[in-house]
């Protein structure tokens, strides 16, 4: 009887904690899962790499949106949920743009700090998951050719896809060059025209001098400490 | 309730048939549609059945290690998702009275590599072949309306559920927006059988599905039936303006 009572108490508390997601939220999560898995399906090696993460749960907490997505990867894709009653193995927390950048660029401890991203739980799992997205290699040209081939002849599809691929590759090559030129122009304006910021050539000797001074002060402090210790030892001996 | 105990008659869509004959007639319908069941569901609901099932999973509160029974689980949509969530420490039983549907479900889950924590049981929901107090969660999605004796099925589910366990019944129900009714009727009785004819070459089966939806108890009646079967804290969520309702009840 006592055991039965304890079971009943557990069940009551469980009913109070039961999730009640909205229909819209369920729809959005469904769309996210579908789009994500369609995207992963374009990389032929993605699923086999995901297999190594099967049985793990990764929580993505999107700061500012008050949304947590639970990702359950296995060799057939990623199941996405907005409610998960178990414990996530790894929780990655950050703002939407920072999380997006994290999935595309190199991640070091410094950049995570800079972007205000935190990883809790199994850190290795978090890194592995991050690496998985960075290693996605999608041949857009091939996928486009396959899609176009369904609507016309194969040779025309290949030709159009190739031309489209060249435009995309051209853009990809142009984009970093354009970004670099923009950065140089902005730097030139602030350093040479408006004189609001110093030149790199001016800053470097200054930084070097500051480093030298810091080292000298550290050495002096160490010497003074040694003299104080020596002096107090001699006073005690007297 | 669909069964008339005095005359041993029950509904099969809009027809009145012998109670003992309903099970066989329902079986014929599902043998006929098993292979194209998912394609047809997508067309019938314009893909929204996936949203209704997702909602069921989100609300289930299933956790690693749980034992789940997916009744009338058919092609295994819910079972596949639950299997990943409960993990290797949990267990999912996919059950259906119809062996054609169960075979399709088993093949699909095997093709997805879902093995080890799932088993397949051909069973009648009215007399479930499982021990008392066994499952943490029971789901029955678009299956209860095809059961001959729904009250017996609910009592059977209550018996095999653990104290603290939860029953989720996802089923077509009564639309809450009256303006929707003409469109809904035209779609159910004209478009749906036409699609059935086109895809499975079987308009009658889909006419039965539409009729059985109309004969199914509405939201409050089903809630009362769950309470009569012993479930507590029963409530329901209308989905897509009540076209479908998700009923929830607990065994305490």
């Amino acid at each position: 009887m006592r055991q039965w009572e304890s079971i009943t108490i557990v069940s009551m508390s469980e009913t109070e904690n039961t999730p009640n997601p909205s229909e819209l939220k369920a729809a959005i999560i469904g769309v996210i899962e579908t789009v994500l898995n369609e995207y992963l399906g374009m990389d032929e090696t993605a699923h086999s790499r995901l297999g190594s993460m099967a049985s793990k749960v990764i929580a993505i907490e999107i700061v500012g949106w008050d949304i947590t997505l639970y990702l359950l990867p296995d060799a057939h894709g990623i199941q996405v949920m907005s409610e998960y009653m178990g414990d996530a193995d790894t929780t990655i927390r950050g703002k939407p743009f920072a999380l997006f950048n994290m999935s595309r660029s190199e991640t070091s401890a410094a950049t995570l700090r800079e972007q205000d991203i935190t990883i809790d739980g199994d850190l290795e799992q978090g890194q592995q998951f991050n690496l998985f997205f960075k290693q996605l290699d999608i041949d857009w040209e091939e996928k486009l050719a396959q899609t176009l081939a369904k609507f016309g002849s194969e040779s025309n599809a290949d030709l159009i896809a190739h031309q489209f691929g060249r435009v995309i590759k051209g853009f990809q090559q142009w984009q970093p060059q354009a970004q670099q030129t923009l950065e140089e122009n902005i730097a030139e304006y602030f350093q040479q025209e408006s004189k609001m910021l110093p030149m790199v050539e001016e800053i470097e000797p200054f930084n070097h001098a500051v480093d030298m001074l810091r080292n000298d002060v550290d050495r002096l402090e160490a010497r003074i400490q040694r003299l104080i210790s020596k002096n107090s030892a001699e006073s005690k001996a007297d | 309730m669909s069964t008339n105990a005095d005359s041993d008659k029950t509904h099969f869509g809009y027809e009145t048939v012998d109670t003992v004959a309903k099970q066989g007639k329902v079986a014929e319908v599902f043998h006929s549609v098993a292979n194209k069941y998912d394609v047809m569901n997508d067309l019938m609901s314009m893909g929204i059945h996936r949203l209704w099932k997702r909602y069921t999973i989100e609300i289930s509160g299933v956790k690693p290690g749980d034992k789940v029974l997916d009744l009338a689980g058919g092609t295994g949509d819910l079972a596949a998702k639950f299997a990943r969530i409960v993990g290797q420490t949990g267990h999912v039983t996919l059950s259906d009275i119809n062996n054609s549907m169960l075979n399709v479900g088993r093949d699909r889950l095997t093709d997805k590599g879902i093995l080890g924590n799932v088993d397949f049981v051909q069973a009648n929901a009215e007399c479930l072949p499982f021990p008392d107090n066994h499952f943490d969660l029971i789901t029955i999605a678009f299956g209860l309306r095809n059961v001959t004796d729904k009250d017996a099925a609910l009592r059977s589910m209550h018996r095999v559920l653990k104290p603290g366990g939860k029953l989720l019944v996802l089923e077509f129900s009564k639309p809450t927006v009256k303006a929707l009714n003409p469109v809904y009727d035209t779609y159910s009785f004209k478009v749906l059988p036409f699609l059935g004819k086109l895809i499975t070459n079987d308009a009658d089966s889909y006419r039965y599905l539409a009729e059985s939806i109309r004969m199914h108890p509405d939201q409050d009646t089903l809630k009362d039936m769950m309470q009569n079967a012993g479930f507590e804290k029963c409530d329901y969520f209308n989905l897509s303006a009540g076209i479908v309702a998700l009923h929830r009840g607990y065994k305490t």
Side-chain angles (χ1 to χ4, degrees):
Chain A
M1 184 63 193
R2 177 167 284 182
Q3 190 184 357
W4 172 255
E5 281 169 357
S6 70
I7 289 170
T8 307
I9 290 163
V10 169
S11 76
M12 286 296 103
S13 67
E14 190 188 312
T15 61
E16 283 155 17
N17 294 329
T18 301
N20 286 327
S22 71
E23 198 175 353
L24 178 65
K25 194 174 178 184
I28 292 169
I29 298 295
V31 170
I32 291 172
E33 183 180 290
T34 306
V35 171
L36 181 63
N37 283 301
E38 286 291 326
Y39 183 65
L40 298 184
M42 288 196 250
D43 180 344
E44 285 169 4
T45 65
H47 286 159
S48 60
R49 289 190 288 123
L50 269 179
S52 63
M53 287 186 271
S55 84
K56 300 288 182 187
V57 178
I58 295 112
I60 310 284
E61 265 186 51
I62 305 174
V63 174
W65 289 8
D66 196 24
I67 293 174
T68 303
L69 298 176
Y70 296 93
L71 308 183
L72 288 71
D74 63 22
H76 296 270
I78 297 180
Q79 190 169 322
V80 183
M81 300 177 69
S82 67
E83 305 281 351
Y84 180 74
M85 303 303 278
D87 296 322
D89 296 282
T90 307
T91 301
I92 302 172
R93 195 176 294 108
K95 289 182 178 166
F97 193 67
L99 290 169
F100 180 70
N101 276 343
M102 182 190 170
S103 68
R104 296 173 69 236
S105 54
E106 287 302 315
T107 316
S108 64
T111 50
L112 288 179
R113 258 199 313 277
E114 196 178 294
Q115 306 246 9
D116 210 11
I117 291 174
T118 56
I119 302 178
D120 292 336
D122 185 344
L123 293 182
E124 194 184 332
Q125 178 65 38
Q127 295 286 5
Q128 193 186 349
F129 189 67
N130 189 24
L131 189 66
F132 166 78
F133 277 97
K134 278 206 278 278
Q135 287 178 342
L136 278 178
D137 180 21
I138 292 163
D139 187 348
W140 293 103
E141 196 174 310
E142 175 61 23
K143 295 294 165 193
L144 182 65
Q146 285 173 5
T147 308
L148 291 173
K150 290 177 189 168
F151 300 101
S153 76
E154 210 164 290
S155 55
N156 282 344
D158 283 344
L159 189 68
I160 296 167
H162 180 64
Q163 293 298 336
F164 187 75
R166 280 183 60 186
V167 172
I168 294 290
K169 277 176 193 154
F171 176 77
Q172 284 173 339
Q173 284 166 0
W174 169 82
Q175 192 259 344
Q177 282 172 6
Q179 189 176 341
Q180 192 185 351
T181 308
L182 183 68
E183 283 170 6
E184 283 170 3
N185 287 343
I186 290 172
E188 195 179 298
Y189 172 77
F190 282 109
Q191 289 170 337
Q192 293 179 8
E193 291 183 27
S194 71
K195 305 280 184 196
M196 287 170 74
L197 297 174
M199 300 287 288
V200 176
E201 293 76 13
E202 292 170 309
I203 279 289
E204 277 181 351
F206 176 74
N207 283 346
H208 183 67
V210 170
D211 286 343
M212 292 283 287
L213 182 62
R214 187 189 296 118
N215 288 342
D216 288 347
V217 170
D218 287 348
R219 285 194 200 96
L220 182 63
E221 188 186 2
R223 185 163 291 187
I224 290 169
Q225 284 296 340
R226 202 176 65 187
L227 285 171
I228 292 170
S229 313
K230 193 177 172 186
N231 192 33
S232 61
E234 282 175 359
S235 316
K236 280 181 187 170
D238 293 339
Chain B
M1 283 186 287
S2 59
T3 309
N4 183 340
D6 295 335
S7 59
D8 281 340
K9 297 283 185 186
T10 189
H11 300 293
F12 175 74
Y14 285 168
E15 284 179 57
T16 302
V17 297
D18 289 337
T19 300
V20 287
K22 175 166 177 172
Q23 203 169 300
K25 281 178 167 288
V26 171
E28 278 174 33
V29 169
F30 283 92
H31 282 308
S32 164
V33 301
N35 283 327
K36 292 184 177 173
Y37 187 67
D38 279 354
V39 180
M40 199 63 217
N41 275 345
D42 276 335
L43 280 171
M44 276 167 64
S45 68
M46 291 175 273
I48 306 174
H49 75 105
R50 294 176 190 279
L51 165 64
W52 297 327
K53 286 174 182 166
R54 171 167 291 279
Y55 188 85
T56 307
I57 292 162
E58 293 270 330
I59 218 164
S60 69
V62 161
K63 53 189 180 302
D66 277 357
K67 286 187 187 137
V68 178
L69 171 62
D70 181 22
L71 275 173
T75 50
D77 287 355
L78 287 177
K81 300 274 188 190
F82 284 137
R84 176 62 181 87
I85 301 169
V86 302
Q88 290 301 318
T89 55
H91 197 87
V92 177
T93 303
L94 172 60
S95 177
D96 203 298
I97 194 169
N98 188 288
N99 68 317
S100 298
M101 295 293 286
L102 201 59
N103 283 339
V104 173
R106 181 169 47 200
D107 290 348
R108 183 159 305 170
L109 264 60
T110 307
D111 288 347
K112 284 185 177 176
I114 299 168
L115 301 161
N117 64 346
V118 183
D119 61 11
F120 305 88
V121 177
Q122 187 176 359
N124 183 345
E126 294 166 21
C127 44
L128 292 168
F130 305 108
D132 295 357
N133 308 321
H134 188 68
F135 294 102
D136 297 283
L137 170 75
I138 298 177
T139 56
I140 178 164
F142 306 114
L144 190 64
R145 72 177 188 281
N146 299 313
V147 175
T148 309
D149 188 344
K150 296 175 183 57
D151 295 300
L154 289 169
R155 283 195 301 272
S156 185
M157 291 175 213
H158 187 266
R159 179 184 64 77
V160 300
L161 204 55
K162 279 181 190 171
K166 187 190 303 174
L167 168 68
L168 294 175
V169 181
L170 182 67
E171 191 52 271
F172 287 101
S173 204
K174 194 174 179 186
T176 51
V177 181
K178 284 188 178 168
L180 211 65
N181 285 343
V183 182
Y184 188 45
D185 283 346
T186 308
Y187 184 73
S188 303
F189 295 109
K190 297 279 193 304
V191 180
L192 208 56
F194 173 73
L195 289 175
K197 174 81 181 160
L198 206 68
I199 292 166
T200 61
N201 198 24
D202 180 6
D204 289 343
S205 293
Y206 283 90
R207 187 168 296 112
Y208 160 73
L209 292 178
E211 289 174 4
S212 66
I213 289 167
R214 294 302 194 283
M215 297 307 292
H216 188 68
D218 66 15
Q219 286 89 333
D220 288 321
T221 311
L222 180 56
K223 185 180 164 188
D224 288 345
M225 288 165 70
M226 286 172 64
Q227 284 167 339
N228 290 339
F231 289 96
E232 292 188 21
K233 292 178 82 91
C234 297
D235 55 3
Y236 61 82
F237 305 88
N238 283 319
L239 303 177
S240 305
I243 290 175
V244 160
L246 177 65
H247 281 72
R248 177 172 65 179
Y250 296 86
K251 178 173 177 177
T252 55

